[in-house]
Amino acid sequence: MAIFNQVPRREMGTLFTHLGWLAFCPVYISEPGADEPTLSARNWVPEWMLTAAGLFQIARIQVIVFLDPSWEPMFMITVTGKIARF
């Protein structure tokens, strides 16, 4: 999505329902309570930033699992609010 393939305003409140962050990348989130929510980089954020944030999360998970094998791996997604419908 990001810079060239942006999320259209009419789909903003239906396809994606919440705003949030994946590490250092601002994202749109659909179904924040689901086991596997769909994420997309927010408009005007380069798509590579979402990829880099995902790689950062994978590296973090690998280090923690190495130190504590009983830890359940999961991505840290911060939900900051709902997308207002216009």
Side-chain angles (χ1 to χ4, degrees):
M1 307 276 161
I3 295 174
F4 299 111
N5 296 327
Q6 295 184 2
V7 177
R9 281 184 160 306
R10 65 181 176 280
E11 293 181 15
M12 196 74 69
T14 56
L15 182 60
F16 296 102
T17 57
H18 289 76
L19 300 170
W21 291 83
L22 175 66
F24 49 82
C25 181
V27 294
Y28 294 124
I29 306 169
S30 71
E31 305 174 24
D35 288 337
E36 297 179 21
T38 303
L39 302 178
S40 176
R42 288 192 205 169
N43 292 344
W44 301 108
V45 175
E47 194 69 34
W48 61 262
M49 189 178 242
L50 180 59
T51 303
L55 292 173
F56 174 78
Q57 290 283 336
I58 290 170
R60 179 190 63 84
I61 288 170
Q62 292 298 321
V63 169
I64 294 174
V65 167
F66 178 75
L67 297 174
D68 182 12
S70 65
W71 182 75
E72 183 179 340
M74 64 188 81
F75 281 81
M76 290 178 29
I77 302 169
T78 304
V79 178
T80 57
K82 271 190 111 146
I83 295 177
R85 292 190 164 220
F86 2 130

